[in-house]
């Protein structure tokens, strides 16, 4: 018996159903379905929301990361074999973007409390081959970008922010994606700003980078039948762009609801078998996921399932232990590996009712080993 869904996308999108259907109808009636007015409109709206000059719509978040690194190679800023510093506990997409460009991921242990990179740790991993820092704002908590940017400036490193889970997070009124040289966003349906299919975007203040990424994602072409690069097909289509424009209007409201739920969890969950995430209820965290830690994860999952509360593990296996990356399997990263063995995500959604929130809290508090 399910009482609380982990994430009910149907319920979320039902709120905007009329506007979403109008947006789709507008695109259908336009007769223009790729690289048209809706994409330009959403690119402008989202880049303005973030506070940067350029937004380039792409097919998904992985492509957004991959294309930035590829563009920097085309610009001569990085080369095959260069190193990219990234936290070891990220989702595999962050690593795939690095290795697909023939770059070397340097797996760095995260801060066990924030789950993110710390500037102090980054500095110890920098070598003569280091060219890029790739901070992942995991679970919706923006990394300590002021200190990371100080390290990047000191060592003349590029910074690519992975903002796939952190739409709207900010430090000192500067949003995620505005700190580095470029940033990648995913609009996968389950994200805080989710499309109704795959979608992604790169944002940057670098006009030259923007132009190359736009070309690379369009078969390497700036003008029809003229191909400057060995590009790919990675474009955010008109229907997804139109629907994202609708949902962007409501993102601040949904973030506020997530922050309220996280605040309640932080104040009202009281169980010494569980460690809660940092919960300061400020704009730095937009709570894409509410991730607790426990040494009794399997038992807690079983207990919560019995209580009707759905949970998920983000993520059960770290990238360096995946079969796809056997070359890294022997790496010793105890902090990362312990996190992957102990983390558990509780439901947190803008459509959760107060009754559902209270049920999650009571269910977690009733857990004993």
């Amino acid at each position: 018996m399910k009482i609380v869904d982990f994430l009910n996308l149907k319920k979320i999108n039902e709120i905007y159903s009329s506007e979403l259907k109008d947006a789709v109808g507008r695109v259908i009636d336009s007769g223009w379905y790729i690289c048209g007015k809706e994409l330009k409109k959403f690119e402008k709206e989202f880049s303005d929301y973030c506070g940067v000059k350029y937004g380039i719509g792409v097919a998904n978040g992985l492509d957004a990361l991959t294309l930035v690194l590829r563009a920097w190679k085309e610009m001569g800023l990085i080369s095959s074999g260069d190193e990219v510093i990234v936290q070891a506990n990220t989702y595999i997409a962050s690593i795939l973007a690095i290795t697909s460009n023939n770059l070397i991921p340097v797996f760095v242990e995260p801060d066990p409390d924030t789950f993110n990179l710390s500037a102090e740790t980054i500095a110890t991993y920098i070598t003569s081959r280091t060219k890029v820092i790739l901070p992942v704002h995991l679970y919706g908590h923006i990394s300590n970008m002021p200190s990371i940017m100080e390290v990047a400036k000191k060592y003349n490193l590029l910074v690519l922010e992975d903002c796939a889970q952190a739409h709207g997070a900010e430090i000192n009124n500067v949003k995620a994606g505005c700190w580095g040289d470029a940033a990648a966003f995913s609009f996968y349906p389950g994200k805080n700003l989710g499309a109704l299919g795959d979608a992604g975007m790169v944002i940057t203040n670098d006009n030259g980078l923007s132009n190359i990424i736009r070309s690379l994602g369009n078969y390497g072409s700036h003008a029809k039948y003229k191909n400057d690069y060995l590009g790919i097909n990675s474009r955010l289509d008109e229907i997804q762009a139109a629907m994202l424009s609708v949902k962007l209007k409501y993102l601040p409201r949904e973030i506020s609801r997530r922050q309220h739920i996280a605040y309640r969890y932080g104040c009202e969950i009281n169980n010494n078998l569980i460690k809660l995430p940092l919960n300061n209820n400020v704009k730095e965290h937009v709570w894409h996921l509410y991730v607790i830690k426990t040494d009794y994860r399997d038992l807690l999952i079983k207990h919560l399932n019995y209580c009707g509360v759905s949970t998920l593990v983000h993520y059960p296996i770290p990238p360096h232990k995946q079969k796809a990356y056997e070359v890294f399997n022997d790496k010793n990263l105890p902090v990362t590996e312990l996190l992957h063995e102990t983390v558990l995500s509780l439901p947190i959604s803008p459509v959760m009712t107060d009754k559902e929130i209270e049920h999650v809290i009571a269910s977690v508090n009733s857990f004993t080993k």
Side-chain angles (χ1 to χ4, degrees), residues 272-301:
N272 60 12
L273 300 178
I274 292 163
K275 184 172 182 180
L276 301 179
L278 292 177
N279 191 347
N280 48 11
N281 200 36
V282 295
K283 294 180 179 180
E284 291 181 17
H285 210 318
V286 292
W287 302 102
H288 171 60
L289 297 169
Y290 191 91
V291 181
I292 63 173
K293 292 184 287 187
T294 178
D295 293 331
Y296 309 96
R297 184 169 71 188
D298 290 345
L299 289 174
L300 179 56
I301 291 171

Side-chain angles (χ1 to χ4, degrees), residues 3 60 75 196 247 358:
I3 296 175
N60 52 69
M75 297 168 75
L196 277 73
K247 297 186 71 176
E358 289 157 9

Side-chain angles (χ1 to χ4, degrees), residues 66-79:
T66 303
L67 287 168
V68 172
L69 295 172
R70 170 71 189 284
W72 282 339
K73 291 182 76 174
E74 295 289 351
M75 297 168 75
L77 299 177
I78 59 177
S79 303

Side-chain angles (χ1 to χ4, degrees), residues 73 79-82 96-105:
K73 291 182 76 174
S79 303
S80 293
D82 285 342
L96 289 170
I98 297 168
T99 58
S100 67
N101 277 290
N102 296 314
L103 302 168
I104 309 300

